Amino acid sequence: MSPATFKVPLAIAIAIATAGISLAGAASAQSTDLEQRLADLEARIAAAEQRANAAEQRAEIAEAQAESRPLDEGVEERLARVERQSSGEEGFSFGAYARSGLLLGEDRKSIPGGPYVTPAGSLGGAVGRLGNEGDTYVEGVFNYRTRYDNGARALYRMMLADSVSTSNDWTADESNLNVRQVFAEFSDLPSFTGVFENASIWAGKRFDRDNFDIHWIDSDFVFLAGTGAGIYDMQLADDWTSNLSLYGRSFSDFDIIGSEDPGSSDSLILTSNNYVGNWQFMVSGLSAADNDERDIAAGQTAADSGFHTMVAYHGDSFFGLGEGNFKAALIHGQGLGAEAKVLGADGNLTDDAQATRLGLYGTTYLAPTWRVAPSILAETSKDRYVQGDEFNWAGLNVRLANELTENFEMQYEASYQYMDLDQGAGGNAVKGDFGKLTVAPTFKPQVGGFWERPEIRLFASYTDWDEDLNNFDGSFGEEGFTGGQWSFGVQSEVWF
């Protein structure tokens, strides 16, 4: 091989080797760069995983803190308070009762009316009120309830009421606007234990919580009210709770025997009201200092004390005959307690006055769209205002309703009252019957029960009574009001 031939392959070999070295260097550089990028990626993944673990740990810590510390309790408490306020358990609430209507006779003139229109009405003898009311009466009840952190509850109540008989829109000159209730009541007090554990205390002016009535004749069985203090729901035994109250009432100024100056007296009523199962036993003692100085009928002494008792049963069926409810009460009182309904309201009762009253009513459905509510109220009393007077009366009332559509029903009412009233020396004695029949087409937002209100009624009533009753003091016998007549009108009644 010649040197020239030898030099060419050698140069080629050297070039190839140089290229190989260069390529190897490039490959090595590329490998190093890839490894670095992979290392960086792994580092970022590790950092991300570390951050995720840290976040998860923080979430677990926060959850543990939420369970161990009351972080959410404030929110839950606020939510619970909103729920209590919306239900009326806490915060401000408003309730009302109102009726207003127009009552006209056959000559298109206003006539006397109301459930106490009969001669026995002055003695508490109420008759059916449907188609018999022409007044406007309204009550507004303002409540504020609070529940404290220790579980104690407080109620503050104020009630305004007004009543007028005029049909005018502006009645300021005839208004009887009055604050009928204003009191405070505390319950669920943690420091109350034993028989007082579930008891509540109150003070102020109020209607007793446990008064109950016959709505269809607008008559309470017994009405305990005034200004004073009391305690409810003392648990004396497993099935025996008891209330204790002291109410004060004031008699109007009266003439004093042998004096030209007026006198006054306050009536105090101490009441124990007890519940054993469905039974209620009520005992009241009454005292009115200086009331015996009142100038009443000649030879009579006004009572300055008395007692009042009631036994009542609150049934959870319609006299045991079917679904519904009923209430029955027997009342007896002497002296100041002879005013059997409104305790302590009558200072003209004699020391020998006595009265016995019976009341009962019930409600039931006769058929799916027919409901009925009968009631009986009767009383006998003697020596009430003078020695020898005697007042006997008894009334039967039946309210019937037929629910025709979801917004309309026909109401019917029949009322009967017997009276034998002897005013004693210097007064009239009358005896006779009173009767009233009423038909009332009635509109409601929704029918479906005895207590569904509001409602708007049109009505027509036929009323009649024995002529002898026109000789008793009162509206009977007035011109245009002697019995055997029709009356017409319209009325709304609202409560909530």
Side-chain angles (χ1 to χ4, degrees):
M1 179 179 300
S2 64
T5 306
F6 176 79
K7 289 180 180 178
V8 172
L10 179 61
I12 294 172
I14 292 171
I16 292 172
T18 303
I21 293 171
S22 177
L23 289 172
S28 175
Q30 290 176 351
S31 176
T32 301
D33 185 55
L34 178 61
E35 290 176 355
Q36 182 63 43
R37 288 199 301 273
L38 289 173
D40 292 343
L41 180 61
E42 289 178 356
R44 288 197 297 272
I45 291 173
E49 289 177 346
Q50 186 176 4
R51 288 194 299 271
N53 290 335
E56 185 176 352
Q57 290 176 1
R58 288 195 299 270
E60 290 176 354
I61 293 172
E63 184 177 355
Q65 289 176 339
E67 293 177 354
S68 61
R69 293 188 344 202
L71 293 178
D72 292 336
E73 288 181 2
V75 176
E76 293 177 357
E77 173 59 28
R78 290 197 297 272
L79 178 60
R81 178 167 295 179
V82 170
E83 292 175 347
R84 292 196 299 269
Q85 290 178 345
S86 63
S87 67
E89 181 184 351
E90 190 172 9
F92 177 80
S93 63
F94 175 71
Y97 170 80
R99 65 174 182 266
S100 183
L102 189 65
L103 179 65
L104 301 175
E106 296 174 356
D107 57 0
R108 304 184 307 282
K109 296 180 180 179
S110 297
I111 60 173
Y116 296 91
V117 70
T118 73
S122 61
L123 306 165
V127 295
R129 67 193 299 184
L130 185 66
N132 198 24
E133 293 177 319
D135 65 335
T136 294
Y137 176 77
V138 60
E139 297 174 352
V141 182
F142 302 86
N143 295 312
Y144 188 79
R145 292 178 171 87
T146 305
R147 192 173 80 175
Y148 295 86
D149 293 339
N150 62 0
R153 299 172 186 267
L155 164 66
Y156 170 72
R157 173 172 296 168
M158 182 181 68
M159 173 182 169
L160 300 176
D162 191 18
S163 176
V164 294
S165 57
T166 177
S167 299
N168 295 331
D169 63 321
W170 187 261
T171 59
D173 293 338
E174 301 180 45
S175 173
N176 292 299
L177 184 62
N178 177 49
V179 178
R180 296 201 72 183
Q181 297 191 73
V182 53
F183 68 87
E185 180 176 331
F186 305 150
S187 60
D188 297 308
L189 300 176
S191 58
F192 276 19
T193 60
V195 299
F196 303 103
E197 181 176 0
N198 299 314
S200 59
I201 59 174
W202 64 269
K205 180 199 288 190
R206 73 174 300 171
F207 299 166
D208 194 76
R209 183 195 68 183
D210 294 343
N211 292 337
F212 60 102
D213 68 345
I214 308 174
H215 172 73
W216 295 274
I217 59 175
D218 194 21
S219 176
D220 292 87
F221 278 82
V222 61
F223 185 70
L224 180 61
T227 304
I231 182 167
Y232 289 125
D233 301 326
M234 294 179 288
Q235 193 74 45
L236 303 184
D238 289 343
D239 200 30
W240 177 14
T241 60
S242 181
N243 309 334
L244 187 66
S245 65
L246 178 66
Y247 282 94
R249 295 181 65 92
S250 299
F251 296 136
S252 301
D253 289 348
F254 55 81
D255 294 331
I256 298 177
I257 298 174
S259 173
E260 295 181 357
D261 297 324
S264 63
S265 180
D266 292 319
S267 173
L268 297 178
I269 311 150
L270 180 63
T271 300
S272 175
N273 213 344
N274 301 273
Y275 294 84
V276 180
N278 290 10
W279 290 93
Q280 178 183 354
F281 304 93
M282 180 178 177
V283 180
S284 300
L286 297 90
S287 176
D290 301 328
N291 195 59
D292 55 348
E293 298 180 10
R294 180 188 294 266
D295 188 6
I296 57 176
Q300 306 297 312
T301 301
D304 62 357
S305 63
F307 72 89
H308 180 282
T309 60
M310 181 179 73
V311 177
Y313 186 85
H314 304 267
D316 51 11
S317 68
F318 184 68
F319 300 100
L321 301 175
E323 294 184 359
N325 64 79
F326 81 92
K327 295 181 184 292
L330 181 64
I331 297 170
H332 179 74
Q334 293 191 4
L336 290 175
E339 168 44 58
K341 185 178 77 168
V342 186
L343 272 71
D346 192 348
N348 290 307
L349 296 164
T350 73
D351 198 40
D352 297 322
Q354 55 182 295
T356 301
R357 175 178 288 205
L358 171 69
L360 72 158
Y361 85 95
T363 62
T364 192
Y365 270 84
L366 299 174
T369 60
W370 284 90
R371 64 180 193 268
V372 65
S375 67
I376 293 175
L377 191 65
E379 183 179 280
T380 178
S381 64
K382 64 179 182 178
D383 301 329
R384 193 179 185 98
Y385 300 118
V386 298
Q387 196 74 27
D389 67 13
E390 187 170 356
F391 303 100
N392 301 300
W393 53 265
L396 170 66
N397 181 74
V398 179
R399 178 79 68 93
L400 186 67
N402 181 19
E403 301 166 1
L404 297 175
T405 75
E406 61 180 314
N407 304 119
F408 180 77
E409 65 185 22
M410 289 295 298
Q411 294 194 54
Y412 310 92
E413 187 176 81
S415 295
Y416 168 79
Q417 187 179 72
Y418 168 78
M419 290 160 275
D420 184 359
L421 311 175
D422 186 352
Q423 295 177 302
N428 294 330
V430 299
K431 181 187 297 185
D433 303 315
F434 167 91
K436 179 177 72 71
L437 292 172
T438 300
V439 177
T442 303
F443 297 88
K444 294 183 176 184
Q446 180 175 325
V447 304
F450 295 94
W451 312 109
E452 284 291 335
R453 301 292 188 276
E455 60 185 37
I456 296 174
R457 316 162 181 137
L458 306 173
F459 59 80
S461 298
Y462 181 77
T463 308
D464 199 10
W465 58 84
D466 288 336
E467 184 179 354
D468 189 37
L469 297 176
N470 292 325
N471 297 318
F472 196 84
D473 298 336
S475 300
F476 276 22
E478 292 182 357
E479 183 179 355
F481 198 65
T482 57
Q485 61 198 57
W486 284 91
S487 58
F488 308 91
V490 62
Q491 184 187 42
S492 67
E493 187 177 42
V494 177
W495 66 55
F496 56 87

